[in-house]
Amino acid sequence: MKRILFISIYLISAQIAYSQIGGKNIYDFLQFPTSSRTEGLGGGLLSIKNKTDADLSLAISNPALLDSAYHKQLSITNSFYIDKTNIGNISFAYYHPKIKSTLAYTMQYASYGKFDGRDAAGNPIGTFRAADFNFQVGVGRNWNHFYYGVNVKFIVSHLASYTSIGLASDVALGYHNPKTNWTATVILRNAGAELKTYVKGDGRQKLPLQLDISFSKRFKKLPVTLSVTAHNLQVWNLRFPEEEQQTTILGSTKKTSKSTQIIDNIFRHFAFGAEVQAGKPVRLRLGYNHLRRQELGVGKKKGFAGISAGFGINIKQFAFDYSYAQYHRAGSDHQLTLRIKIDEFGKKAK
């Protein structure tokens, strides 16, 4: 059973970004949402930028957001998946005046727990653990309304007695107009290579390269922020070949129309989110990810697959975020994020 759950975790992480090409890349844990806020708003890359609400958990995956507003901010995120699987990150940002840049130091982890080992004949040979780690440094700078940033990742994956090491980077470019509260970001994620394979002599595996574009709009007269992410733009088709056939009520199959396939495939590239400020300290969130819904829903009874929700509470120097996302009827994600603005201790809160 634990072996099945272990495989399921990797399939879930792969589908978040890759669908049809999922499972063909190494280090798919890098595709898990790094923020409860991101998860609650559909799981896409967010481009929300606000000087009074600098959220380091968003900048972990989007280094273009980093600026001096993140100085001495600490972010801790953990996701609680099935069978005691924990996935999360710890990040700290610091503005360096000499280089006029803000750096974010992050450790991202995925702990899959303890497993029963067996030999080829099925005899027990003890237990082993499996875990993935990403040690990341991100830097962000700006020029007028343009923002740009880079993440450098040193990745270690440990499965039983096998270890893989990789090096990757994210490159992001963003634009923010403070007058209209429009923000846009384009980011190329996980460009790199596997340096050391699990087994000596094996060929190097590909990393989950991904191209995303994100837009957000914060309204002046309405306490609402809308966000849209176009993800996995490096590949067009996110549908499985088997999905071209549709089962009828009588049990027979018929091929779905070409126009239906095209429309469905287009929406699989999008994630939508809405955030409502309910009073000064509270934010309510709702998101929809069509790719998740199509891939993880069961038949026509998809339930809440692809739908996520959450809330955030900001109290002085502290911020707490919670999100819930149903990946499948058999398992859901409860994600928590705690942010602390260390630099504001002893100061009057904004």
Side-chain angles (χ1 to χ4, degrees):
M1 181 62 181
K2 284 190 175 181
R3 288 180 180 274
I4 296 175
L5 290 175
F6 180 72
I7 295 172
S8 298
I9 292 297
Y10 265 95
L11 291 176
I12 289 172
S13 66
Q15 75 79 35
I16 289 177
Y18 274 85
S19 182
Q20 184 178 333
I21 58 176
K24 295 185 178 181
N25 304 289
I26 198 172
Y27 313 139
D28 275 324
F29 80 101
L30 296 174
Q31 302 304 309
F32 280 96
T34 59
S35 164
S36 301
R37 194 173 186 178
T38 300
E39 182 74 303
L41 292 170
L45 172 71
L46 296 184
S47 55
I48 296 175
K49 190 171 182 62
N50 188 345
K51 284 286 185 180
T52 61
D53 183 27
D55 189 342
L56 178 57
S57 66
L58 301 182
I60 293 173
S61 57
N62 185 1
L65 297 178
L66 288 170
D67 58 29
S68 58
Y70 294 83
H71 182 59
K72 290 188 178 181
Q73 185 176 149
L74 175 67
S75 174
I76 302 172
T77 296
N78 194 78
S79 297
F80 301 90
Y81 287 87
I82 55 178
D83 201 37
K84 299 181 181 180
T85 298
N86 291 290
I87 300 171
N89 57 76
I90 301 173
S91 186
F92 179 74
Y94 192 92
Y95 176 73
H96 297 268
K98 289 186 178 181
I99 59 175
K100 297 181 181 180
S101 302
T102 299
L103 272 65
Y105 308 92
T106 304
M107 183 190 73
Q108 188 177 356
Y109 61 87
S111 175
Y112 306 109
K114 185 183 292 186
F115 300 87
D116 296 324
R118 305 278 178 174
D119 61 16
N123 301 311
I125 56 174
T127 61
F128 67 92
R129 291 186 175 274
D132 294 323
F133 297 94
N134 169 34
F135 301 94
Q136 172 180 305
V137 178
V139 58
R141 299 191 67 176
N142 71 286
W143 177 72
N144 292 333
H145 295 321
F146 290 93
Y147 294 78
Y148 52 96
V150 176
N151 285 330
V152 178
K153 306 177 179 183
F154 179 75
I155 308 157
V156 179
S157 179
H158 185 69
L159 307 176
S161 60
Y162 304 96
T163 301
S164 172
I165 297 176
L167 188 66
S169 65
D170 304 329
V171 180
L173 175 65
Y175 175 83
H176 174 68
N177 190 323
K179 293 183 179 181
T180 59
N181 287 323
W182 270 102
T183 306
T185 302
V186 56
I187 180 169
L188 181 66
R189 305 172 64 183
N190 305 316
E194 182 184 18
L195 304 179
K196 178 184 178 297
T197 60
Y198 289 108
V199 179
K200 187 176 181 180
D202 282 3
R204 295 179 181 178
Q205 301 182 61
K206 295 181 180 180
L207 273 66
L209 185 70
Q210 183 173 332
L211 178 64
D212 295 346
I213 298 177
S214 178
F215 301 90
S216 71
K217 167 67 176 177
R218 183 168 174 262
F219 296 92
K220 289 185 177 181
K221 297 184 179 180
L222 290 175
V224 178
T225 300
L226 300 179
S227 63
V228 180
T229 298
H231 55 85
N232 292 286
L233 299 179
Q234 79 286 349
V235 60
W236 161 245
N237 188 17
L238 294 179
R239 291 170 55 90
F240 284 97
E242 294 81 359
E243 293 180 281
E244 295 182 4
Q245 300 293 330
Q246 187 178 32
T247 304
T248 65
I249 300 177
L250 300 177
S252 60
T253 59
K254 66 176 182 179
K255 190 172 182 179
T256 55
S257 65
K258 194 68 175 179
S259 59
T260 300
Q261 294 180 34
I262 293 175
I263 294 173
D264 175 58
N265 189 63
I266 290 174
F267 276 96
R268 292 191 188 209
H269 283 277
F270 286 91
F272 305 89
E275 182 177 77
V276 180
Q277 187 163 346
K280 188 175 181 179
V282 180
R283 290 175 174 83
L284 305 177
R285 298 166 185 133
L286 184 66
Y288 176 74
N289 189 310
H290 190 65
L291 175 61
R292 289 185 185 177
R293 185 165 182 81
Q294 293 298 89
E295 292 298 325
L296 297 180
V298 180
K300 294 184 178 181
K301 298 181 180 180
K302 298 183 183 297
F304 289 98
I307 300 174
S308 59
F311 65 87
I313 301 175
N314 292 7
I315 302 176
K316 295 184 178 180
Q317 291 83 11
F318 299 91
F320 173 80
D321 296 300
Y322 166 79
S323 66
Y324 169 83
Q326 186 183 81
Y327 288 160
H328 190 273
R329 291 185 178 183
S332 302
D333 169 32
H334 298 271
Q335 192 165 358
L336 302 176
T337 296
L338 173 65
R339 290 182 286 121
I340 305 173
K341 297 179 181 179
I342 299 175
D343 193 41
E344 292 188 6
F345 279 98
K347 299 180 181 179
K348 185 178 180 180
K350 296 181 181 180

